Amino acid sequence: FPMPRAGHLEALLPGLLSQVAAERGLDSRWFQPLDAVETRVLRQSWRGGSVRSLRRKLDGVLRVRERTLPRH
């Protein structure tokens, strides 16, 4: 299989987000999708290649999201 390219980012993200939700025991329908800023950060930092690398970058974006979300 050829390595994914940067243009595949939007196609890869839903599956990766579903994977993260499942690992956290969450229903992926309730897992908030990435916003435009989060997607732009990933687009700028991942130029294609390893999906594992993309997943690590996605995990970092989600950690930042979790730290900055208001707590109720």
Side-chain angles (χ1 to χ4, degrees):
F1 288 99
M3 292 294 250
R5 297 181 183 187
H8 297 119
L9 179 69
E10 282 77 14
L12 293 169
L13 286 176
L16 290 174
L17 286 170
S18 291
Q19 185 180 56
V20 170
E23 289 171 3
R24 295 179 181 191
L26 302 171
D27 186 325
S28 63
R29 294 174 294 179
W30 290 95
F31 201 78
Q32 182 180 0
L34 297 181
D35 64 23
V37 172
E38 293 167 330
T39 303
R40 185 174 61 238
V41 166
L42 288 173
R43 192 176 296 116
Q44 290 172 346
S45 66
W46 186 74
R47 302 288 183 190
S50 170
V51 176
R52 287 182 182 152
S53 171
L54 174 59
R55 171 60 196 266
R56 284 191 299 273
K57 292 174 187 307
L58 173 61
D59 288 340
V61 166
L62 294 175
R63 276 193 303 277
V64 170
R65 173 197 282 182
E66 291 164 359
R67 284 196 314 255
T68 59
L69 282 177
R71 302 282 181 210
H72 297 308

